[in-house]
Structure formats: structure tokens, C-alpha cells
Amino acid sequence: MAPKRKQSDTEEGIDFKFTQFQIVPPINQKNFYTDYLKRDDQMYIWRDTANAKDGEPDTTIGDVKQEDSKKAAEEEEDGMEENTQEGKQRDAKTVVIHVGSQNLRIGLASDHFPKTVPMVVARKMRVNFEHPHLQLSKMCEKNEDGNLEFDEEFENNLKLLQTELKARLKAKKNRPVPNGPALVNNFNKISKPEVIPSHEDPLKPDWIQFENNERPDVIIGEKASLLPLKEYPEYRLFHPLKDGIFNENDYESSQQMFSDIYEILKYSISDLLQIPLSQLPQYSSVFIVPDLYDRIYIERFLDLLFYDLQFGKSAIVQESLCTSFGAGMSSACVVDVGAEKTSVSCVEEGIVIPNSRINMKYGGDDVTLLFAKLLAKSNFPYRELDLCLPYDWDLMQSLKEKYCGISQGTYNIQVNDFHSRTPDGGTKKYSFKVLDETILSPFGYFRPDIFENGEKLKDRYKLFPVSVDVYENQPNNPESLAHTTLLQITAPLASKEEELKSVAEDSKADDANKVKKPRVVHLGSLAYPERIKEKLIYPLDDAINQSIFSACEGNLGDQAKNLYSSILIVGGGALFPGFSHLLEERLQSKRANIPNIAVLPPPRGLDAQIIAWKGGCIYNRLRIVSEFWIKTSDWKTLGSRVLQYKTLGYFWTG
Ligand SMILES: Nc1ncnc2c1ncn2[C@@H]1O[C@H](COP(=O)(O)OP(=O)(O)OP(=O)(O)O)[C@@H](O)[C@H]1O
């Protein structure tokens, strides 16, 4: 039999406690309460603001609050003072910056109009750059009937577009032009250019010619398109933004891209606004960001504003909010059709409704390309036109802006002319005929599958990783129910096999990176999208319907009626005559139960392209904005966390 084990002393009933310390019982969660880091006045950022206001080293919280309320009352009393002298002084020291894929709009808040700078840089490379070509005549081929044709997908989409246009013209009692396309083709085929001697062309561009061997490293903005690229092949053109985000496709490194953005901003501030860079610490900047922004985009831009340009303080504000300020509307559905992106968002009482935001990857440049293709099909006489050359692209843009529009009056054969100006070919005058090309091109917004969408968002996340949460390592870019819904609707269009393949690839990548898939944060009614798909291409009118539907949480009541009666259309891409009217008609046909649908142009004859910038100036005048300024010290101490407390406030989380 095994011997009995000796029992320990405690078990033998000796009354000593194991420790003299009082053991703390678990807290009863019912009565548990703490406000640690829950009140604004405990945050460094607010205490810092309060101290700065007082000019005292430190104060107790109660005192700060009393002082604040006194000051606020004083400010209320002399509000006029704020609106006149103080406000004007502040405007003269604030630079409002609105960056677009094609144009940067920048100016002092006290200016009437911003300076517009094309977002392009010509950089001298170490070895000659082989420029790509996109010659119009080589884009299509002759079919058996002798007509010019593009690929099958394009031709099918074009047929659908033409059918839609015919139905519309019939409804408006417009008669078709008998034998129209043949008449147009025959005229264009035999149209010959007239050479204009350079001394007879008052608009001849001042092409850049370098003397000796002195060649600058960078040429910025408009000047870059005056560079004869064939003569100076060591230069390459870069567009740092594409589709409304960083252009990761054309650059090898993020530093290279940022140095181009820096050059554009530096040139605009020092040369155009005449502000010496050394004085920027005394200036503030209002930076206008997309509604459905990318966190990395905002963080990197703020780095640039604080570290490289050294602005004293900055505020960031969303595009649609600025547009609504600029238009003086407290609630609106803002549709911004830009060069390479189109956004739709609903704004109410100074807030962009998070679930209504939609960002689509098409815009005015897609219409330009479509117009060029349609002209190519009808034997456009300028056959050497190369869309990769900046002056030829600009020519096509100007033809689009001059001749495209959606009025029934233009549906007839028209004879137009234009001048081509190239550094090697001089000036030539061409005549050409068009029939329905000018109407069909803007129609593309309602059937965007016809645009060249394949290369969009190519190499996304090549230079920058997906923004992830520091705690959960989950993608944390803001999401919107409207946007996610449309992504899910368009997803089945991809072939099943392709889908499965890429899902498998994604899951492999996920395992490697330990990054989980994004989730829909707002309503939770939808499962998370199968993959991180961002390229949203969807008809404009349907996108507006979806945005308003999501803004009202599916209830098309008074709120929806209000939004439908104030659809504000801005941005350069929608500046076609008759476009607002067409959009209004299409919305009415799809929402017959909503009376008074109105698509409004910007009020007071304001330019649709600068209205968001104007709104940025007005934002600078709001008294509340003083709480939104991020100082250099805040950015250096807290980094992007400061955005939770300031400027974007709760938008930053979603
Ligand atoms: N009068 C016009 N008619 C038609 N299109 C126009 C007109 N004026 C400008 N555009 C087009 O508007 C586009 C530029 O618009 P905008 O300046 O709003 O773009 P962005 O803000 O630079 O780009 P994004 O919003 O995509 O970032 C170009 O495609 C240009 O061809």
C-alpha cells in the first residue's frame, strides 16, 4: 500500500492568509463607469486648442470651459467684425487647393477665381523615352463592306447607343437623315487640309525651343504640352493623378510621384500666386478631398503640405460639401462629372450622407476618346492624329467641347472646321462632316460600357498598400452602401471563371498578408463584397437613383423628394449643352412617382468647374472652421489620428 502524502499546512487548518493584501473583487459591470478619454476636454488636441486660445500654460478643465463660453459669447456679439476685417485677413492668408485628375485649382481664399494648372509634368529622363502612339486611323479596321469598324464589343455597345438615340429622336419627332452616314463618310474621305503659313496663324503656339544644351529637369503645367516631344525624346510626360487617385501605373516609385506633385504645387504657389515658399508657415491651407476618399491619399497629401511645403495649418473638407457651400444650397444631390471620375453624393445640413457616396471611374476624357473613335469611323480627315501626343489630345478635347451637345437641333449633317497645330507639321485647316457623333458621345454617360474601361485602376496598390486598421489589420477605407450595392450589381458581369480565378488569387494573397476582406460598416444589411473591387462603371442616371435611395434608407418620402428637386450638376465633364435636360428626362422616366425632379446648373452663372473651390473659400469663413485646423505640431505628434478629432471628424472612421 502506497504511503499517505503529507497534507500541506494550510490544509491542516492553520489560519494564516496567503497574503496580507486585500484581494480586490471583480468590478460589477452594472455599476461600472469611466469617462477616461471619452470627453473632448481630455484629449490632447482640445486642451491644446484651449491653451492656445488662452495663451496660458495650463488651466483646469472647468476654467477652460468657462473661458471658452465667454469668448464664444463675445465672438457672437461682434460677428460682423469677424465677417469683415478679421475674415478678410484670414482669407488673404489661406490657400484653397482642389486637386483634380486633369486640373489643379488653387488660389487665395480672397481671390475671385482660382488659377487652373494642368496636372502634368514633363521630366527629363536619363535615357530617351519611347513614347506610345494611339493613331486614330490605326484604331479601326475595314470590314467586308468597306466600312471602318472597332472590336465586336464596342460595335455592339454602339448599336445599343444608336438604337436609344433613334428612339429618342422619334419620340421628339425628328426625322432621320436619309443616307446620312454615307454622305458624311464620302465628304470626309476626300476632304484635304489647307496649309496655313505660320505668319498667317495668329494662334500659333509658342513651341518650346531650347538653346544650347540647357534643358530644365522639369517643365510644369501648360508649358509641358508646348514641348515638341519628337524633337526632345528625353522628356516624358507624367500625370501624377489618374481616375481621381494616385497614378500608380506610370511611376516606378512613390517618391518620384510625390516630387512631381510637389513641383506642381510649388510652381503654382510661388509663380502663380506669388507667395514665397519661405512664408508658407504663416499661411493656412484648405485642402478639398473626394467624398469617398482613400486614407492613404489624404495622409500623403497632408505630409506634403506640412513637411514639404510647411504650411502653418491645414483643414480638409469633402468635395460635395464644398460644392454645396459654393452653390449656397443646404441640401442637394451633388453630381460631379470630372475628367476621369464621376462622383454622386447627397448633402444635408452641412453633412455628406456617408451611405450616399458613389465614385465612378469615368468622366469627360472617356467622352473625348469615344468622340475620337466615332470620328475615326466616319473617316475623320486628320488621319495622323495621335491621341498620345498632348497637342493632338488637346485638339480632340477642344473639338468635343465646341461641337458635342444633346439638342435635337444638332441632329443633322453639319460641316465643321478646325486647325491642327503641331510642332513638326505647322498649321493646317481641315473641314469635316458629322451626323450623330456629337450627340452619341455625351450619351456614353448613360451606357458607360462603351468607354475604354480595361486599363483603368491598372497597378492599383503597386506603390501604396491598402490602408489597414492598426489594431485589427483590416482594410479601413471608408465605404458607402450605395457604392457597395452598385459594385455587387455589376459584379456578375465578369465571367464566372475569371471571378473564381481571381478570388483564389486573392485568398492566397490574403493568407500571405493576413489582411481580411473589407466589410460594409454602415448598415450591415449586405454581406461584404467578395473581393476588393473598386472599378465602378455604372450609368449616371441609375447611380443618382441609387445614391438618393441609400441616402433615404430606401424610403422615397419627403427627404427623397427634396433631394430629387435639387440635383446639382458640376464639373467640366457635364458641360454639354442640353445635358442637364436629358438627365432630368431620364430620371423622370425612371422615377415617375416623384414630382418635380430638377437637375440644376450652378447658380449665379458660376463656372461648374470651380464651384467646389469657391465653396472651399466660403468654408474658410465659417466660424466653426477654427476648430478644424490641424497644426503642424498636431500632425507631427498624432499623425493621421488627429483626423478623428479635427476636420473630418466622424467621417474619418467611415
Ligand atoms: N465646355 C465643355 N464641354 C464639355 N466638356 C468640357 C467642357 N469644358 C471642360 N470639359 C471637360 O471637363 C473635363 C475636366 O473637368 P474638371 O476640370 O472638372 O476635371 P478634374 O476636376 O480635373 O478631374 P476629376 O474630377 O476627374 O478629378 C475634361 O474632360 C474636359 O474636356
Side-chain angles (χ1 to χ4, degrees):
M1 202 175 111
K4 255 193 178 176
R5 282 179 64 195
K6 196 185 168 199
Q7 281 193 331
S8 69
D9 289 349
T10 44
E11 284 175 37
E12 277 169 5
I14 297 171
D15 219 8
F16 284 139
K17 281 186 185 167
F18 177 67
T19 168
Q20 290 300 310
F21 285 101
Q22 186 70 38
I23 293 172
V24 183
I27 297 171
N28 180 351
Q29 291 292 322
K30 268 192 200 162
N31 307 324
F32 174 72
Y33 173 76
T34 176
D35 65 356
Y36 178 59
L37 283 186
K38 283 188 182 159
R39 291 209 322 255
D40 280 351
D41 47 42
Q42 293 168 339
M43 306 287 179
Y44 149 77
I45 208 84
W46 297 120
R47 283 169 43 200
D48 186 47
T49 315
N51 290 343
K53 272 186 193 169
D54 293 351
E56 287 168 13
D58 204 0
T59 353
T60 57
I61 290 162
D63 287 349
V64 171
K65 281 207 159 167
Q66 268 185 3
E67 275 298 303
D68 272 0
S69 53
K70 253 193 231 167
K71 287 210 163 194
E74 275 169 25
E75 277 178 12
E76 281 296 317
E77 277 167 23
D78 54 28
M80 288 307 288
E81 179 80 4
E82 168 80 358
N83 282 338
T84 54
Q85 290 161 12
E86 218 183 289
K88 276 183 190 162
Q89 277 170 10
R90 199 187 319 148
D91 283 355
K93 288 278 176 191
T94 306
V95 180
V96 180
I97 304 171
H98 184 199
V99 189
S101 318
Q102 192 182 79
N103 298 307
L104 162 72
R105 301 209 159 76
I106 187 166
L108 286 169
S110 52
D111 292 345
H112 288 295
F113 299 104
K115 304 275 182 222
T116 301
V117 187
M119 285 291 289
V120 57
V121 169
R123 234 176 219 285
K124 196 167 86 182
M125 311 300 283
R126 282 203 206 106
V127 283
N128 286 354
F129 177 68
E130 205 161 303
H131 290 276
H133 297 283
L134 190 57
Q135 214 167 322
L136 213 52
S137 55
K138 293 190 182 147
M139 286 164 75
C140 45
E141 283 171 8
K142 267 192 185 157
N143 66 7
E144 297 133 19
D145 310 332
N147 295 328
L148 292 167
E149 260 191 10
F150 287 86
D151 57 274
E152 199 186 333
E153 194 188 344
F154 179 82
E155 292 298 330
N156 289 342
N157 280 320
L158 183 60
K159 267 182 206 138
L160 292 172
L161 212 61
Q162 280 167 333
T163 318
E164 207 163 316
L165 178 65
K166 265 186 204 150
R168 184 181 153 81
L169 291 171
K170 203 172 167 192
K172 300 272 173 192
K173 301 201 167 50
N174 264 58
R175 269 196 259 142
V177 181
N179 212 13
L183 290 174
V184 168
N185 277 355
N186 292 340
F187 178 90
N188 289 344
K189 234 184 245 175
I190 53 167
S191 170
K192 291 277 173 284
E194 177 194 339
V195 178
I196 311 276
S198 67
H199 61 271
E200 281 180 25
D201 180 14
L203 299 177
K204 182 177 164 275
D206 233 344
W207 302 110
I208 294 177
Q209 285 298 324
F210 298 118
E211 282 170 16
N212 311 324
N213 254 351
E214 274 181 22
R215 295 185 184 172
D217 286 341
V218 282
I219 303 169
I220 297 153
E222 246 159 37
K223 281 190 208 150
S225 45
L226 292 175
L227 189 72
L229 289 175
K230 286 183 191 158
E231 201 176 322
Y232 302 113
E234 65 270 42
Y235 281 95
R236 180 180 172 186
L237 293 185
F238 285 100
H239 298 263
L241 290 200
K242 204 170 165 228
D243 304 319
I245 46 173
F246 291 136
N247 179 0
E248 293 172 78
N249 184 17
D250 289 349
Y251 286 92
E252 290 307 317
S253 75
S254 55
Q255 288 87 341
Q256 201 188 341
M257 196 189 74
F258 280 113
S259 71
D260 282 358
I261 299 178
Y262 173 74
E263 290 293 346
I264 296 173
L265 287 173
K266 192 176 96 177
Y267 160 77
S268 317
I269 292 170
S270 59
D271 288 32
L272 301 181
L273 301 185
Q274 306 275 326
I275 303 171
L277 289 190
S278 57
Q279 284 185 18
L280 283 186
Q282 295 154 33
Y283 280 78
S284 328
S285 63
V286 172
F287 181 57
I288 301 172
V289 299
D291 303 322
L292 205 52
Y293 52 84
D294 184 302
R295 278 169 175 253
I296 302 261
Y297 174 92
I298 293 189
E299 287 168 11
R300 297 302 167 96
F301 255 112
L302 284 178
D303 280 344
L304 200 84
L305 296 180
F306 284 122
Y307 293 121
D308 300 308
L309 291 166
Q310 303 195 337
F311 272 103
K313 50 186 181 168
S314 285
I316 53 177
V317 53
Q318 289 172 301
E319 235 170 19
S320 297
L321 193 57
C322 277
T323 306
S324 76
F325 282 147
M329 294 164 82
S330 64
S331 78
C333 172
V334 180
V335 183
D336 181 355
V337 188
E340 294 181 0
K341 69 138 207 334
T342 295
S343 66
V344 185
S345 301
C346 297
V347 180
E348 269 192 339
E349 310 298 342
I351 287 179
V352 181
I353 301 175
N355 270 334
S356 69
R357 297 171 294 174
I358 293 175
N359 186 320
M360 294 177 291
K361 299 297 172 200
Y362 61 74
D365 284 4
D366 292 282
V367 177
T368 308
L369 185 57
L370 175 61
F371 186 50
K373 282 169 130 184
L374 295 180
L375 290 182
K377 263 178 86 73
S378 50
N379 286 301
F380 189 58
Y382 180 17
R383 281 177 252 288
E384 310 83 63
L385 185 128
D386 184 348
L387 291 172
C388 283
L389 292 172
Y391 33 85
D392 278 351
W393 175 261
D394 289 349
L395 170 71
M396 199 38 84
Q397 293 246 79
S398 63
L399 289 182
K400 173 194 78 172
E401 289 166 18
K402 196 166 168 193
Y403 297 120
C404 286
I406 307 180
S407 61
Q408 268 68 47
T410 53
Y411 183 72
N412 212 333
I413 294 182
Q414 302 161 40
V415 190
N416 300 319
D417 52 39
F418 67 92
H419 290 82
S420 81
R421 297 182 172 93
T422 57
D424 41 353
T427 307
K428 287 178 190 162
K429 187 180 174 192
Y430 289 86
S431 295
F432 70 108
K433 276 189 178 177
V434 284
L435 176 61
D436 56 2
E437 293 83 351
T438 49
I439 307 182
L440 281 173
S441 308
F443 244 85
Y445 287 132
F446 304 112
R447 200 167 274 284
D449 287 341
I450 198 166
F451 296 144
E452 293 266 332
N453 299 320
E455 295 284 292
K456 288 177 185 169
L457 294 191
K458 193 173 167 224
D459 288 332
R460 179 94 165 104
Y461 303 122
K462 182 178 89 176
L463 303 181
F464 305 96
V466 188
S467 170
V468 288
D469 192 303
V470 281
Y471 300 109
E472 295 171 7
N473 206 26
Q474 294 237 7
N476 63 352
N477 269 331
E479 289 159 3
S480 146
L481 184 69
H483 189 85
T484 318
T485 307
L486 295 189
L487 275 179
Q488 288 181 334
I489 293 172
T490 48
L493 294 178
S495 84
K496 204 76 199 155
E497 233 172 72
E498 211 178 277
E499 188 93 346
L500 289 173
K501 207 172 125 195
S502 62
V503 168
E505 272 169 20
D506 278 2
S507 62
K508 262 190 218 161
D510 284 355
D511 288 347
N513 300 334
K514 291 274 178 282
V515 172
K516 287 183 205 157
K517 284 163 186 163
R519 67 248 177 262
V520 177
V521 283
H522 292 295
L523 290 187
S525 56
L526 286 166
Y528 55 68
E530 283 293 284
R531 328 186 246 132
I532 310 169
K533 279 184 85 196
E534 292 181 27
K535 192 165 68 184
L536 179 59
I537 312 284
Y538 206 70
L540 183 61
D541 45 351
D542 294 334
I544 295 173
N545 281 335
Q546 182 62 48
S547 172
I548 297 180
F549 187 80
S550 298
C552 309
E553 295 175 7
N555 174 15
L556 294 180
D558 287 346
Q559 190 191 5
K561 283 180 192 153
N562 198 10
L563 288 170
Y564 270 112
S565 65
S566 47
I567 298 171
L568 183 63
I569 188 146
V570 295
L575 279 177
F576 297 107
F579 187 76
S580 322
H581 188 61
L582 173 69
L583 180 60
E584 202 172 279
E585 275 182 9
R586 289 182 73 96
L587 289 170
Q588 276 161 354
S589 67
K590 289 180 180 177
R591 285 273 189 261
N593 51 339
I594 307 265
N596 305 329
I597 294 182
V599 178
L600 312 167
R604 306 184 296 277
L606 275 172
D607 180 352
Q609 284 173 277
I610 64 158
I611 192 159
W613 180 88
K614 271 267 169 214
C617 302
I618 296 169
Y619 180 79
N620 183 51
R621 278 293 187 98
L622 300 182
R623 185 166 298 144
I624 189 181
V625 89
S626 60
E627 298 190 354
F628 287 168
W629 290 118
I630 303 165
K631 287 183 285 175
T632 317
S633 56
D634 298 339
W635 189 250
K636 285 183 179 162
T637 325
L638 293 174
S640 63
R641 267 177 302 155
V642 73
L643 297 170
Q644 272 173 14
Y645 307 125
K646 297 215 166 185
T647 297
L648 286 182
Y650 66 82
F651 293 113
W652 187 241
T653 53

